């Protein structure tokens, strides 16, 4: 690790104004790793680890999100045959969610997640330029799963209800995903039934989610 990387990693506060206004203090990487060690089975060793979902309600610049993705991808290298890495890496990405209030942090988190994902595939010589479905699907999943909004109010930066999507594997066809939109508010313990009218999407290959094909 270079000196510059050490400084960036240990930068816990961007400004005193942001701390006072938003309570913004970043978690250092060594603490992130210790916290994720507590859920190692879900992230790396347990059955169905690729699909275990994680939500970071105060995502910051993405330090937790990136660390979760790193662990899933490392475990995938050890436990999944290489022919499935493209497919499984997208399912891993689809399992990670975040909400961040501040615009610059939100943008940084999305960039960091995409960089981590693409670095993995560059390392294994998988074509992943901006013209590939792999790149487009990954960027789409990140945009859909990492929302700029307020966890406390359940509203996005436009003042609308935060919406996510579950990405279910099709039990009949490997590599096929079924998208099920839902509201963040529906996850709360005191939530009423969710009667919102969501779009319905046709099942599709996980590397074609960005095409957003609606169900007939």
């Amino acid at each position: 690790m270079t000196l510059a990387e050490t400084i960036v990693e240990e930068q816990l506060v961007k400004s005193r104004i942001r701390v006072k206004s938003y309570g913004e203090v970043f978690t250092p990487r060594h603490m992130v790793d210790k916290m994720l060690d507590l859920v190692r089975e879900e992230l790396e060793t347990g059955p169905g680890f690729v699909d275990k979902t994680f939500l970071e309600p105060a995502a910051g610049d993405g330090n937790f999100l990136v660390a979760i993705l790193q662990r899933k991808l490392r475990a995938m290298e050890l436990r999944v045959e290489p022919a499935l890495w493209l497919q499984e890496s997208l399912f891993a990405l689809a399992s990670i969610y975040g909400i961040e209030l501040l615009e610059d942090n939100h943008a940084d988190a999305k960039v960091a997640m995409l960089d981590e994902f693409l670095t993995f595939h560059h390392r294994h010589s998988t074509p992943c330029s901006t013209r590939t479905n792999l790149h487009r699907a990954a960027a789409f999943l990140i945009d859909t799963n990492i929302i700029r909004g307020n966890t406390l109010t359940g509203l996005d930066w436009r003042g609308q209800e935060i919406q996510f999507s579950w990405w279910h594997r099709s039990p009949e066809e490997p590599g096929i995903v079924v998208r099920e939109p839902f509201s963040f508010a529906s996850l709360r313990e005191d939530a009423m039934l969710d009667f919102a009218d969501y779009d319905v999407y046709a099942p599709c290959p996980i590397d074609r989610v960005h095409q957003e094909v609606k169900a007939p």
Side-chain angles (χ1 to χ4, degrees):
M1 179 178 291
T2 66
L3 176 60
E5 289 171 329
T6 302
I7 293 172
V8 169
E9 178 168 322
E10 296 304 320
Q11 182 182 10
L12 306 184
V13 172
K14 285 189 175 179
S15 76
R16 285 182 290 179
I17 294 175
R18 290 166 71 112
V19 173
K20 184 176 180 179
S21 299
Y22 305 108
E24 180 189 70
V25 178
F26 295 96
T27 307
R29 180 57 188 258
H30 71 276
M31 288 186 64
V32 171
D33 287 334
K34 285 185 176 181
M35 294 172 73
L36 293 182
D37 283 344
L38 298 175
V39 290
R40 187 188 301 271
E41 181 176 355
E42 287 81 358
L43 269 176
E44 302 170 64
T45 62
F49 73 94
V50 170
D51 299 312
K52 290 295 177 67
T53 57
F54 291 83
L55 168 64
E56 172 52 75
D61 58 2
N63 56 349
F64 266 100
L65 301 176
V66 168
I68 290 169
L69 180 60
Q70 286 175 338
R71 289 188 178 221
K72 286 199 174 206
L73 294 178
R74 282 203 305 266
M76 193 184 71
E77 287 178 299
L78 297 173
R79 302 181 56 194
V80 177
E81 59 182 282
L84 296 176
W85 285 355
L86 186 152
Q87 166 189 305
E88 294 303 296
S89 66
L90 287 171
F91 276 111
L93 197 59
S95 73
I96 303 171
Y97 300 82
I99 301 173
E100 170 53 34
L101 178 64
L102 300 181
E103 182 177 8
D104 59 339
N105 286 342
H106 176 245
D108 288 344
K110 293 199 300 180
V111 168
M113 285 291 281
L114 186 58
D115 282 349
E116 185 64 34
F117 182 86
L118 296 177
T119 295
F120 170 83
H121 285 289
H122 281 305
R123 192 167 69 247
H124 294 292
S125 301
T126 308
C128 54
S129 73
T130 56
R131 297 188 299 274
T132 63
N133 282 320
L134 177 62
H135 190 291
R136 291 170 181 169
F140 177 80
L141 288 169
I142 291 168
D143 284 342
T144 307
N145 280 16
I146 302 177
I147 302 295
R148 182 182 163 206
N150 188 323
T151 298
L152 297 178
T153 65
L155 302 178
D156 67 16
W157 67 279
R158 298 182 181 89
Q160 300 173 348
E161 189 173 49
I162 292 174
Q163 291 188 11
F164 287 116
S165 288
W166 297 120
W167 308 96
H168 301 293
R169 292 179 188 260
S170 168
E172 292 86 17
E173 301 176 87
I176 299 298
V177 67
V178 180
R179 180 181 181 182
E180 179 189 350
F182 67 96
S183 69
F184 173 63
S186 69
L187 299 178
R188 300 181 187 274
E189 290 184 3
D190 59 349
M192 304 294 288
L193 294 176
D194 189 354
F195 294 108
D197 185 20
Y198 299 110
D199 290 330
V200 178
Y201 297 91
C204 69
I206 185 69
D207 65 346
R208 300 292 195 280
V209 290
H210 55 285
Q211 297 175 358
E212 292 193 284
V213 177
K214 302 289 178 64

